[in-house]
Amino acid sequence: MIGVRYQVNPELRLAGDGAGKADLRAVERLCADFPENRFLASLLSRENQHELCVYARKFANLMPFGCWWFLNNPSIVEEDNAGAAGDTGVPVSFRSIPMPACWNR
């Protein structure tokens, strides 16, 4: 997932990872350089969610998808879904459900 900070607490081993705000320019380049490919992107930082929706508005081959389990509670999902769809008009799936590799917009 984009935004992971590995081993912020090494004593917890696999449970010791954290989250941080990510630089999404790599996602921008992937979408621009490979317009024939479709990308599902899930981010760890809530602060990145709106930026991801803006990129999805610019690139038809990008779909914001999923929510890290710390963010996957009903009040946050409802708020993020309403904000993303309302602000950008981008279809978003913040629920952690499987989606096919290809989708129609």
Side-chain angles (χ1 to χ4, degrees):
M1 276 200 188
I2 299 169
V4 70
R5 294 179 51 230
Y6 292 105
Q7 293 295 290
V8 296
N9 186 349
E11 291 180 16
L12 296 176
R13 297 188 303 241
L14 292 177
D17 295 345
K21 190 169 184 308
D23 182 351
L24 298 184
R25 287 179 288 183
V27 173
E28 176 187 337
R29 291 288 4 119
L30 281 171
C31 292
D33 292 348
F34 301 98
E36 68 285 354
N37 294 344
R38 295 188 174 194
F39 300 96
L40 297 173
S42 184
L43 304 172
L44 295 184
S45 173
R46 187 174 185 194
E47 291 79 15
N48 283 126
Q49 296 293 347
H50 181 77
E51 185 179 3
L52 181 65
C53 290
V54 171
Y55 277 121
R57 180 74 177 199
K58 306 302 177 196
F59 297 101
N61 58 338
L62 177 62
M63 168 73 81
F65 174 74
C67 211
W68 193 35
W69 68 280
F70 280 120
L71 300 176
N72 197 13
N73 72 59
S75 63
I76 292 177
V77 169
E78 183 178 324
E79 182 180 325
D80 285 347
N81 275 332
D87 292 347
T88 63
V90 171
V92 179
S93 175
F94 283 125
R95 300 272 184 215
S96 294
I97 56 174
M99 287 183 67
C102 297
W103 64 88
N104 295 318
R105 276 208 202 177

